[in-house]
Amino acid sequence: RPLAKAPSLLPRLHNSPCLMSEPLPLSYVTAQEMRCLLHWLSGWAPAQREQFLRDLVDKAVPWKVLPLLEGLAGLSVGPGKPPSIFECQMRLWDQWFRSWSEAERNEFVRQLEEAVPDLASRFYQEVAATAGQA
């Protein structure tokens, strides 16, 4: 399902006046980041996918920025305890997402729809469920 026909994403991801149904030409670095993230998703346990989904929804819904920052603070490493690989991946995901343009974020969601349609569907449902909440 092309992004242009998808239910309303969220203001931050869906501001472009003309959404493209064709893949966006990405920089090599951004394309590699997205490819890497989709690869990680394929290997994550269900609980890790759930955490990623919650984080993606938090990033998509503007008034949920504070819970996102609180969630990232929860990933802090205690003395003598190295971060898990998943925690490192989530930190990289956050850094990458923050550096992507709105068009690149939309392109990531489009790629997510192709690679993990069930997760993308749940993302749309959860974002839609936040509509009208303030």
Side-chain angles (χ1 to χ4, degrees):
R1 172 178 90 189
L3 187 56
K5 294 180 184 174
S8 174
L9 284 177
L10 31 124
R12 238 174 40 208
L13 292 179
H14 196 54
N15 279 346
S16 177
C18 65
L19 287 175
M20 298 177 277
S21 58
E22 299 291 320
L24 175 74
L26 301 171
S27 74
Y28 177 78
V29 171
T30 301
Q32 290 299 95
E33 290 169 349
M34 290 180 187
R35 189 173 296 119
C36 190
L37 183 58
L38 292 170
H39 174 74
W40 292 342
L41 262 166
S42 70
W44 284 342
Q48 292 169 324
R49 283 180 169 218
E50 286 299 313
Q51 186 174 340
F52 172 78
L53 179 62
R54 283 192 309 273
D55 190 57
L56 180 60
V57 171
D58 287 345
K59 284 173 171 33
V61 181
W63 61 83
K64 292 198 174 189
V65 171
L66 189 56
L68 166 67
L69 296 174
E70 292 168 353
L72 287 174
L75 293 176
S76 63
V77 179
K81 181 182 178 247
S84 70
I85 291 172
F86 176 71
E87 289 170 331
C88 292
Q89 290 169 335
M90 288 297 288
R91 287 180 184 159
L92 280 171
W93 145 246
D94 182 64
Q95 290 172 13
W96 294 342
F97 186 86
R98 290 174 188 263
S99 72
W100 294 343
S101 68
E102 289 179 29
E104 290 168 333
R105 292 172 181 181
N106 277 324
E107 174 59 18
F108 173 72
V109 172
R110 189 197 68 74
Q111 289 183 27
L112 184 67
E113 287 177 339
E114 290 180 2
V116 195
D118 59 320
L119 192 66
S121 175
R122 290 202 39 233
F123 166 73
Y124 288 124
Q125 290 170 359
E126 294 202 20
V127 168
T130 66
Q133 297 177 7

